[in-house]
């Protein structure tokens, strides 16, 4: 177990980097989904280096601060509702021995989070009038978008696997040599 000063320092650095990426999502609106994904990868580093519970604590701090200080609330919301906690949760899910069950749980978590995100965005941020403007396409457009987002989720999950392996094999040994 690492010392408390190491955990606090690493948590603070990762939280600051996450907040910078969340802040950049407001500056570069085209990256409003990519930057919360990157912040989620940083959460994975805390889970690997310190502990999963410390990563959830850092996630909570970043979530609250991103709602308060970032410009793009939609980007902060997608971080809070999925990209922030999923890289940590998937480490627990990885312990399940059956691959098919793991995939089903991951997909269920993703769909629950994304549907909740959709409803929060539409009804709390007041975008329900936009849904009515879609007319007939709006009924099917939601299902098409959910299907496409599931494809993107599979790619994101594969990317998280690759980033986890790269971090453990390439970067973690570099940090160990510095001490």
């Amino acid at each position: 177990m690492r010392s408390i000063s190491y955990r606090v320092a690493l948590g603070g650095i990762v939280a600051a980097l996450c907040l910078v990426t969340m802040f950049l999502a407001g500056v570069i609106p085209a990256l409003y989904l990519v930057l919360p994904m990157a912040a989620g990868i940083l959460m994975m580093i805390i889970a690997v280096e310190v502990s999963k519970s410390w990563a959830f604590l850092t996630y909570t701090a970043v979530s609250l601060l991103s709602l308060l200080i970032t410009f793009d609330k939609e980007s902060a919301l997608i971080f809070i509702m999925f990209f922030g906690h999923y890289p940590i949760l998937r480490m627990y899910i990885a312990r399940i021995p059956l691959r098919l069950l793991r995939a089903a749980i991951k997909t269920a978590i993703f769909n629950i989070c994304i549907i909740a995100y959709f409803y929060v965005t539409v009804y709390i941020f007041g975008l329900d009038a936009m849904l009515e403007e879609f007319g007939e396409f709006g009924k099917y457009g939601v299902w098409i978008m959910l299907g496409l987002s599931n494809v993107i989720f599979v790619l994101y999950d594969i990317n998280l696997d690759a980033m986890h392996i790269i971090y453990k094999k390439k970067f973690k040994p570099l940090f160990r040599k510095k001490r």
Side-chain angles (χ1 to χ4, degrees), residues 55-116:
F56 276 116
L57 183 65
T58 306
Y59 157 74
T60 304
V62 171
S63 297
L64 291 174
L65 288 172
S66 67
L67 275 178
L68 295 174
I69 66 172
T70 60
F71 298 123
D72 191 354
K73 301 303 181 199
E74 193 174 353
S75 181
L77 189 62
I78 193 70
F79 174 80
I80 292 168
M81 297 192 81
F82 182 70
F83 292 121
H85 64 80
Y86 177 72
I88 307 165
L89 279 179
R90 72 186 297 279
M91 292 180 164
Y92 289 111
I93 296 169
R95 296 179 183 166
I96 298 172
L98 298 172
R99 180 178 286 178
L100 188 60
L101 182 60
R102 274 195 316 257
I105 290 172
K106 287 178 182 182
T107 305
I109 289 171
F110 172 74
N111 285 308
I112 289 168
C113 291
I114 291 303
I115 290 169

